[in-house]
Short mmCIF file of all heavy atoms in Angstrom, two decimals:
data_model
loop_
_atom_site.label_atom_id
_atom_site.label_comp_id
_atom_site.label_asym_id
_atom_site.label_seq_id
_atom_site.Cartn_x
_atom_site.Cartn_y
_atom_site.Cartn_z
N LYS A 367 5.67 2.38 -14.27
CA LYS A 367 6.86 2.12 -15.08
C LYS A 367 8.11 2.78 -14.49
O LYS A 367 9.17 2.14 -14.37
CB LYS A 367 6.64 2.60 -16.50
CG LYS A 367 7.86 2.55 -17.41
CD LYS A 367 7.53 3.07 -18.80
CE LYS A 367 8.79 3.24 -19.63
NZ LYS A 367 9.63 4.38 -19.15
N ASP A 368 7.99 4.06 -14.12
CA ASP A 368 9.19 4.83 -13.73
C ASP A 368 9.45 4.88 -12.23
O ASP A 368 10.52 5.32 -11.82
CB ASP A 368 9.09 6.26 -14.27
CG ASP A 368 9.18 6.31 -15.78
OD1 ASP A 368 9.67 5.33 -16.37
OD2 ASP A 368 8.76 7.32 -16.37
N MET A 369 8.49 4.44 -11.39
CA MET A 369 8.69 4.58 -9.95
C MET A 369 8.65 3.24 -9.24
O MET A 369 9.66 2.73 -8.78
CB MET A 369 7.66 5.56 -9.37
CG MET A 369 7.93 5.93 -7.94
SD MET A 369 9.46 6.87 -7.78
CE MET A 369 9.49 7.19 -6.03
N THR A 370 7.48 2.64 -9.15
CA THR A 370 7.38 1.40 -8.37
C THR A 370 7.91 0.19 -9.13
O THR A 370 8.43 -0.74 -8.53
CB THR A 370 5.92 1.11 -7.96
OG1 THR A 370 5.14 0.82 -9.13
CG2 THR A 370 5.32 2.31 -7.23
N GLY A 371 7.75 0.19 -10.45
CA GLY A 371 8.14 -0.98 -11.24
C GLY A 371 7.29 -2.21 -10.95
O GLY A 371 7.66 -3.33 -11.33
N ALA A 372 6.13 -2.00 -10.31
CA ALA A 372 5.29 -3.13 -9.87
C ALA A 372 4.41 -3.64 -11.00
O ALA A 372 3.18 -3.62 -10.93
CB ALA A 372 4.45 -2.69 -8.68
N VAL A 373 5.05 -4.13 -12.08
CA VAL A 373 4.29 -4.58 -13.24
C VAL A 373 3.86 -6.03 -13.08
O VAL A 373 4.51 -6.82 -12.40
CB VAL A 373 5.12 -4.42 -14.53
CG1 VAL A 373 5.45 -2.97 -14.78
CG2 VAL A 373 6.40 -5.25 -14.47
N MET A 374 2.75 -6.36 -13.71
CA MET A 374 2.23 -7.72 -13.66
C MET A 374 2.98 -8.63 -14.60
O MET A 374 3.30 -8.27 -15.74
CB MET A 374 0.73 -7.72 -14.01
CG MET A 374 0.09 -9.10 -14.01
SD MET A 374 -1.66 -9.06 -14.42
CE MET A 374 -2.34 -8.35 -12.91
N ASP A 375 3.24 -9.85 -14.16
CA ASP A 375 3.88 -10.86 -15.00
C ASP A 375 2.86 -11.42 -16.00
O ASP A 375 1.70 -11.63 -15.65
CB ASP A 375 4.41 -11.99 -14.11
CG ASP A 375 5.03 -13.10 -14.90
OD1 ASP A 375 6.17 -12.95 -15.34
OD2 ASP A 375 4.36 -14.14 -15.10
N PRO A 376 3.25 -11.67 -17.25
CA PRO A 376 2.30 -12.17 -18.25
C PRO A 376 1.62 -13.48 -17.86
O PRO A 376 0.43 -13.68 -18.14
CB PRO A 376 3.16 -12.35 -19.51
CG PRO A 376 4.29 -11.39 -19.33
CD PRO A 376 4.57 -11.36 -17.86
N PHE A 377 2.35 -14.39 -17.21
CA PHE A 377 1.73 -15.64 -16.81
C PHE A 377 0.66 -15.40 -15.76
O PHE A 377 -0.40 -16.05 -15.76
CB PHE A 377 2.79 -16.62 -16.28
CG PHE A 377 2.24 -17.98 -15.94
CD1 PHE A 377 1.63 -18.77 -16.91
CD2 PHE A 377 2.30 -18.47 -14.64
CE1 PHE A 377 1.11 -20.01 -16.59
CE2 PHE A 377 1.79 -19.72 -14.32
CZ PHE A 377 1.20 -20.49 -15.31
N CYS A 378 0.90 -14.46 -14.87
CA CYS A 378 -0.09 -14.07 -13.88
C CYS A 378 -1.35 -13.55 -14.57
O CYS A 378 -2.48 -13.90 -14.20
CB CYS A 378 0.50 -13.03 -12.94
SG CYS A 378 -0.64 -12.35 -11.73
N ALA A 379 -1.16 -12.69 -15.56
CA ALA A 379 -2.30 -12.15 -16.31
C ALA A 379 -3.10 -13.27 -16.97
O ALA A 379 -4.34 -13.25 -16.97
CB ALA A 379 -1.81 -11.16 -17.37
N PHE A 380 -2.40 -14.25 -17.52
CA PHE A 380 -3.06 -15.39 -18.15
C PHE A 380 -3.93 -16.15 -17.14
O PHE A 380 -5.08 -16.52 -17.43
CB PHE A 380 -2.01 -16.32 -18.76
CG PHE A 380 -2.54 -17.66 -19.17
CD1 PHE A 380 -3.20 -17.82 -20.37
CD2 PHE A 380 -2.36 -18.77 -18.35
CE1 PHE A 380 -3.69 -19.07 -20.75
CE2 PHE A 380 -2.85 -20.02 -18.73
CZ PHE A 380 -3.52 -20.17 -19.93
N LEU A 381 -3.39 -16.39 -15.95
CA LEU A 381 -4.14 -17.12 -14.93
C LEU A 381 -5.40 -16.36 -14.51
O LEU A 381 -6.47 -16.96 -14.32
CB LEU A 381 -3.26 -17.40 -13.72
CG LEU A 381 -2.15 -18.44 -13.90
CD1 LEU A 381 -1.28 -18.50 -12.65
CD2 LEU A 381 -2.74 -19.82 -14.20
N ILE A 382 -5.29 -15.04 -14.36
CA ILE A 382 -6.46 -14.27 -13.95
C ILE A 382 -7.48 -14.22 -15.08
O ILE A 382 -8.70 -14.29 -14.84
CB ILE A 382 -6.07 -12.86 -13.50
CG1 ILE A 382 -5.01 -12.91 -12.42
CG2 ILE A 382 -7.30 -12.12 -12.96
CD1 ILE A 382 -4.46 -11.55 -12.03
N LEU A 383 -7.03 -14.08 -16.32
CA LEU A 383 -7.96 -14.12 -17.45
C LEU A 383 -8.76 -15.42 -17.45
O LEU A 383 -9.97 -15.42 -17.72
CB LEU A 383 -7.19 -13.98 -18.77
CG LEU A 383 -6.71 -12.58 -19.14
CD1 LEU A 383 -5.73 -12.65 -20.31
CD2 LEU A 383 -7.88 -11.67 -19.47
N ARG A 384 -8.12 -16.49 -17.11
CA ARG A 384 -8.81 -17.78 -17.03
C ARG A 384 -9.80 -17.79 -15.88
O ARG A 384 -10.95 -18.21 -16.01
CB ARG A 384 -7.80 -18.92 -16.88
CG ARG A 384 -8.43 -20.29 -16.90
CD ARG A 384 -7.40 -21.39 -16.90
NE ARG A 384 -6.59 -21.39 -15.68
CZ ARG A 384 -5.75 -22.37 -15.36
NH1 ARG A 384 -5.57 -23.40 -16.19
NH2 ARG A 384 -5.05 -22.32 -14.25
N GLY A 385 -9.37 -17.28 -14.71
CA GLY A 385 -10.25 -17.25 -13.55
C GLY A 385 -11.46 -16.35 -13.74
O GLY A 385 -12.56 -16.65 -13.25
N LEU A 386 -11.28 -15.25 -14.47
CA LEU A 386 -12.37 -14.29 -14.64
C LEU A 386 -13.56 -14.86 -15.40
O LEU A 386 -14.69 -14.39 -15.25
CB LEU A 386 -11.86 -13.04 -15.36
CG LEU A 386 -11.12 -12.02 -14.49
CD1 LEU A 386 -10.46 -10.96 -15.35
CD2 LEU A 386 -12.07 -11.39 -13.49
N LYS A 387 -13.33 -15.86 -16.22
CA LYS A 387 -14.42 -16.44 -17.00
C LYS A 387 -15.52 -17.03 -16.10
O LYS A 387 -16.67 -17.15 -16.52
CB LYS A 387 -13.89 -17.50 -17.96
CG LYS A 387 -13.03 -16.93 -19.09
CD LYS A 387 -12.51 -18.03 -19.99
CE LYS A 387 -11.55 -17.48 -21.05
NZ LYS A 387 -12.21 -16.61 -22.03
N THR A 388 -15.16 -17.40 -14.87
CA THR A 388 -16.15 -17.98 -13.95
C THR A 388 -16.49 -17.03 -12.79
O THR A 388 -17.12 -17.45 -11.81
CB THR A 388 -15.64 -19.30 -13.37
OG1 THR A 388 -14.40 -19.08 -12.65
CG2 THR A 388 -15.40 -20.33 -14.47
N LEU A 389 -16.08 -15.76 -12.88
CA LEU A 389 -16.29 -14.83 -11.76
C LEU A 389 -17.76 -14.73 -11.37
O LEU A 389 -18.11 -14.82 -10.18
CB LEU A 389 -15.75 -13.45 -12.12
CG LEU A 389 -16.00 -12.35 -11.07
CD1 LEU A 389 -15.26 -12.67 -9.77
CD2 LEU A 389 -15.56 -10.98 -11.60
N GLU A 390 -18.63 -14.51 -12.33
CA GLU A 390 -20.04 -14.31 -12.01
C GLU A 390 -20.64 -15.55 -11.36
O GLU A 390 -21.40 -15.44 -10.38
CB GLU A 390 -20.80 -13.95 -13.30
CG GLU A 390 -22.20 -13.40 -13.07
CD GLU A 390 -23.26 -14.49 -12.98
OE1 GLU A 390 -23.01 -15.59 -13.48
OE2 GLU A 390 -24.33 -14.21 -12.40
#
């Protein structure tokens, strides 16, 4: 938060949540 500011975008999080369902 205070140094890099390298936060994840919410749409990116949504896409990975979808991808994770088929990870195994």
